[in-house]
Amino acid sequence: IISNWSENSILSEVFVKNASALRTYTSYVNNYNSSLKMLARCNTKQRFLSFSEKCKNQAGMDLSAYLIMPVQRLPRYELLLRDLVKNTRTSHREYRPLLMALEEIKVVVVYINEQKREYENLQQILDIQNSLTTRRVLLTENRRLIRESKFQVKSGKSTKDKLRAKLGSDEWANARKMNSFLFNNLLMVVEATVLSVKTLQLSGKKAYDIWREGDLFHFNVFEHPTAPDVMVLKFKHKDYLVKFKSSYERDTWMTDFKDARSQFSDTEIHMNGSIQNVDSTAVTPPPRQNRVLPAVPRSSSAIVNPTDSHPPAATERTGQDIIDTAGFGSGLGAGGVSGLAGDNQPLIQKAKKRRCCTICF
């Protein structure tokens, strides 16, 4: 490009023509944190550390400074084009092409940020799957982790009068400490194993036993009438009292759950045409009248995209945008999660190899 450059050449054309190729940065950005972890492990070896110091003295920068450069590249392109647009006359022949180039780079940056958040979300789900003592396949193409929370759980009272009684500190002395993983189509409440509590400080690995698990229609939540940091969790006709650290955390969790449940309902109705709500507190629909339905040919079929309805964004961010990681500009926000791209497909294939039966999905 530089060798063939002339006074008639237009800089913006270089970015417009090569914008789609810049999406190849996705794989590198997704694995950047893994590269840093590997570098930290290598730096514990004296031989590698001596070699790294020698290279740093010759090049003026260490390896970590070189690793961040590809991550910084796209944000720097965007800043460059912003400055060019700002300092170019609107009447100049390259002003409008520069605007087009800036928009193309913005699209690529948004795409890579979304794929990075997607990749990190899948990594979190895979870590949860590996921490379960029961073999369970959680990593599927349409499942997304919304939030992970910690709370205390105890059985609810049998009558409304007892349920509305004030809950003091003594009420939670023997409560069980739980972790919850709220997905867009699943709620899993787990309890840390005794083994993991003893070995967590040594190995850093967690292990959980599944306490309650089911799709979002098997659960329902209500505010406790007297305790602002307590909610009532209903699971298969049984009530449990759940205590959070604060009323804000409880309200945020309940909002995320209700939003996910609503989105899950829309998705199921879109896929199946109807859905049966298993929640006992829901209004029971009137009985269906007997009617004769027309026969449907066996050869007919319909394909519905299950990813039409996206889960709400997590209140607690699970990752950083590449602009934040690179230290340039502000983040692009925790927008909705896009469909699974080819860059993250190996994680799905890896999890599918471990499934134990056909009902795991």
Side-chain angles (χ1 to χ4, degrees):
I1 296 175
I2 297 177
S3 60
N4 297 326
W5 195 264
S6 66
E7 60 181 10
N8 296 323
S9 299
I10 299 179
L11 176 64
S12 56
E13 289 183 354
V14 178
F15 292 96
V16 174
K17 291 181 179 180
N18 296 281
S20 59
L22 295 177
R23 297 194 177 199
T24 56
Y25 277 81
T26 302
S27 298
Y28 186 89
V29 172
N30 287 348
N31 290 282
Y32 172 71
N33 291 334
S34 299
S35 301
L36 292 183
K37 292 179 181 179
M38 178 59 68
L39 179 61
R41 290 175 56 187
C42 293
N43 284 334
T44 59
K45 308 296 183 180
Q46 185 60 38
R47 185 178 178 183
F48 179 86
L49 194 59
S50 301
F51 172 76
S52 180
E53 285 294 328
K54 182 179 179 180
C55 295
K56 179 180 178 181
N57 295 332
Q58 294 179 353
M61 294 191 302
D62 59 8
L63 183 56
S64 61
Y66 286 105
L67 289 175
I68 191 65
M69 283 186 174
V71 181
Q72 295 173 339
R73 182 60 57 192
L74 289 178
R76 283 177 172 172
Y77 284 158
E78 184 175 352
L79 293 176
L80 170 64
L81 290 172
R82 285 182 184 273
D83 290 340
L84 288 174
V85 170
K86 181 180 179 180
N87 294 283
T88 301
R89 300 189 309 273
T90 56
S91 59
H92 194 276
R93 65 187 181 92
E94 199 169 354
Y95 179 78
R96 293 184 66 84
L98 281 174
L99 288 176
M100 293 178 57
L102 178 59
E103 290 302 317
E104 291 287 342
I105 295 299
K106 283 182 178 180
V107 170
V108 175
V109 171
V110 170
Y111 171 81
I112 294 180
N113 282 338
E114 290 177 348
Q115 292 303 307
K116 185 174 186 293
R117 288 194 293 270
E118 181 86 357
Y119 180 83
E120 290 176 341
N121 195 281
L122 295 177
Q123 286 284 2
Q124 282 189 308
I125 296 176
L126 185 59
D127 291 341
I128 295 171
Q129 176 178 298
N130 294 334
S131 67
L132 299 177
T133 56
T134 304
R135 192 172 184 181
R136 179 77 167 84
V137 176
L138 295 177
L139 192 62
T140 61
E141 294 185 5
N142 300 320
R143 180 165 293 150
R144 302 293 176 266
L145 176 66
I146 298 176
R147 66 161 48 242
E148 176 182 357
S149 303
K150 296 181 179 180
F151 46 60
Q152 294 175 279
V153 178
K154 60 178 296 184
S155 298
K157 305 298 182 180
S158 57
T159 64
K160 293 183 179 180
D161 294 337
K162 292 182 179 180
L163 183 60
R164 292 177 179 175
K166 292 185 179 180
L167 297 175
S169 58
D170 296 339
E171 294 284 340
W172 300 99
N174 298 322
R176 302 170 68 177
K177 296 181 180 180
M178 300 285 184
N179 286 50
S180 71
F181 301 113
L182 176 61
F183 302 92
N184 62 320
N185 55 5
L186 177 75
L187 176 60
M188 178 180 290
V189 183
V190 299
E191 187 174 18
T193 63
V194 178
L195 179 62
S196 69
V197 174
K198 294 181 179 180
T199 60
L200 180 59
Q201 296 180 350
L202 299 177
S203 63
K205 296 181 180 180
K206 300 178 181 179
Y208 297 110
D209 293 325
I210 299 177
W211 181 66
R212 296 290 184 270
E213 175 191 12
D215 64 45
L216 300 184
F217 284 121
H218 286 89
F219 294 89
N220 207 346
V221 294
F222 308 94
E223 294 183 0
H224 192 276
T226 59
D229 57 346
V230 178
M231 74 175 184
V232 181
L233 178 67
K234 180 180 287 294
F235 177 72
K236 293 185 178 180
H237 312 288
K238 189 171 183 179
D239 294 340
Y240 300 94
L241 297 181
V242 178
K243 179 179 175 60
F244 291 85
K245 292 181 179 180
S246 64
S247 59
Y248 172 79
E249 187 174 347
R250 184 206 68 171
D251 295 341
T252 304
W253 194 98
M254 291 183 63
T255 300
D256 288 341
F257 173 83
K258 292 178 180 179
D259 290 344
R261 197 171 188 261
S262 176
Q263 294 284 347
F264 180 62
S265 174
D266 294 341
T267 302
E268 290 294 310
I269 292 175
H270 181 66
M271 293 177 62
N272 303 326
S274 63
I275 191 166
Q276 181 181 359
N277 194 335
V278 299
D279 179 24
S280 61
T281 62
V283 178
T284 304
R288 298 178 59 181
Q289 299 179 355
N290 295 332
R291 55 179 178 172
V292 179
L293 298 177
V296 179
R298 296 179 61 87
S299 59
S300 62
S301 61
I303 300 177
V304 180
N305 183 4
T307 61
D308 285 345
S309 181
H310 298 292
T315 303
E316 300 176 0
R317 292 284 302 279
T318 57
Q320 293 179 316
D321 296 334
I322 61 172
I323 293 182
D324 294 337
T325 305
F328 291 90
S330 60
L332 296 175
V337 181
S338 62
L340 186 65
D343 299 303
N344 299 328
Q345 193 66 22
L347 282 176
I348 301 296
Q349 299 298 333
K350 180 180 179 181
K352 285 185 176 181
K353 293 180 180 178
R354 297 184 55 192
R355 72 175 185 176
C356 56
C357 60
T358 57
I359 64 173
C360 286
F361 290 92

